[in-house]
Amino acid sequence: MARVPSAVIAATGLVGGYGVARWTKRRELGGAVLAVAGAAAAQQWRARAGGKAAGALSAAYLAAFAGSHPLAKKVGAWPSVLGVAGAVALASWAVADRKA
């Protein structure tokens, strides 16, 4: 079975979590998508890059989620979510996926 890069999982969690919350009008469902994808990405980060890197990338994932809210007031919701998802994906690739 093909391995899905952690960068894709993390970006999908941020974009998918927002999309689910917006389209279902149920924030808790979006939060569940965000949490499941974050946990899956963190597991891969730990396996590929170690605990410290996984902790740093997990913090970046949470900071991206939190930071997307004030950023959305300046650039709009979708540009904000896509921007932070891209930043987390790039960090994930650089730290964990590039080596694989």
Side-chain angles (χ1 to χ4, degrees):
M1 184 157 143
R3 170 180 75 83
V4 177
S6 62
V8 173
I9 295 170
T12 300
L14 289 162
V15 174
Y18 174 69
V20 167
R22 181 171 179 141
W23 289 314
T24 65
K25 307 222 184 310
R26 305 233 5 221
R27 294 178 71 170
E28 64 276 9
L29 293 179
V33 171
L34 181 80
V36 168
Q43 185 177 28
Q44 286 192 14
W45 293 330
R46 188 173 25 261
R48 293 186 186 140
K52 287 183 182 181
L57 288 168
S58 295
Y61 184 78
L62 291 173
F65 166 69
S68 69
H69 292 82
L71 181 61
K73 293 179 181 179
K74 296 181 186 239
V75 300
W78 277 113
S80 173
V81 170
L82 294 173
V84 300
V88 169
L90 180 61
S92 179
W93 174 81
V95 173
D97 295 333
R98 180 176 52 158
K99 298 173 186 176

